[in-house]
Amino acid sequence: ENQVTIVCIHLRISGRGRRGRLGEFVPPVNRTQQEIETARATALDDLKDPLARNANLADDQPATDLARSAGEGRENWIVMIGVCTHLGCVPLGQAGDYGGWFCPCHGSHYDTAGRVRKGPAPENLAIPNFAFVSDTVVRIG
Ligand code: FES
C-alpha cells in the first residue's frame, strides 16, 4: 500500500497523497528504498540540525533516519509539517540538492528525511504528533 488517509484531529487539513502541497502539511511520504538508504548513509556530523524534531520522541533524540521516520517497520513513511523552518514558506517535494524538499523562498535544501542540509533554515522540518491507527490511516494531532 503506498497511500494512506490522513485524519487530522486538531489541524485543519486532511487529504491523501504521496507528495504534494496541502496547506500546512506535506502528506505522509512513502519513501523509496533508495531514499531511505541515502538518508541512512548520511553521517549525523554532517547535519546542520542534529535533533530529530519529532514530537513523538524526546526533545534530545538525534536526527537519525529512523527517528525522522514513522519508526520500526514503517521506516518508509515520513510525516512532517510542510513549513520551512526559516520563514515559513512551503517547501517543494522531490526537489533540491539532496532529493528531498527545496524551499524556493530563500533556498533551503532538505534531505529525504526532511533534515535541513543547506540554506538559511535553522531546523529540520517538524514532525507532528501522529499515529498510524491502521495500516492505511494516520491520525495527526
Ligand atoms: Fe524557506 Fe526562507 S522560508 S528558505
Side-chain angles (χ1 to χ4, degrees):
E1 186 61 58
N2 64 3
Q3 287 197 327
V4 294
T5 298
I6 310 162
V7 180
C8 299
I9 303 302
H10 301 299
L11 300 158
R12 63 185 167 80
I13 304 297
S14 65
R16 111 188 345 251
R18 183 176 184 280
R19 284 187 197 262
R21 295 171 61 162
L22 282 177
E24 294 176 350
F25 278 96
V26 175
V29 173
N30 190 4
R31 299 184 297 169
T32 64
Q33 196 58 36
Q34 174 75 47
E35 288 170 328
I36 296 168
E37 286 170 12
T38 299
R40 284 182 178 166
T42 300
L44 294 182
D45 287 348
D46 290 343
L47 298 176
K48 182 173 179 180
D49 177 7
L51 298 176
R53 308 290 176 189
N54 183 339
N56 306 279
L57 302 175
D59 289 348
D60 62 352
Q61 187 75 29
T64 61
D65 183 66
L66 182 62
R68 296 282 305 165
S69 76
E72 293 280 358
R74 289 205 166 99
E75 296 92 337
N76 53 317
W77 290 107
I78 188 163
V79 179
M80 299 186 297
I81 296 175
V83 176
C84 180
T85 62
H86 181 220
L87 292 174
C89 289
V90 178
L92 306 171
Q94 291 182 306
D97 291 357
Y98 298 86
W101 288 264
F102 173 68
C103 182
C105 290
H106 315 97
S108 288
H109 298 249
Y110 299 88
D111 67 13
T112 57
R115 301 174 298 195
V116 62
R117 305 296 300 279
K118 196 161 104 178
E123 295 183 1
N124 302 324
L125 291 172
I127 297 175
N129 279 112
F130 71 92
F132 275 76
V133 295
S134 75
D135 284 345
T136 57
V137 176
V138 180
R139 185 186 66 228
I140 297 173

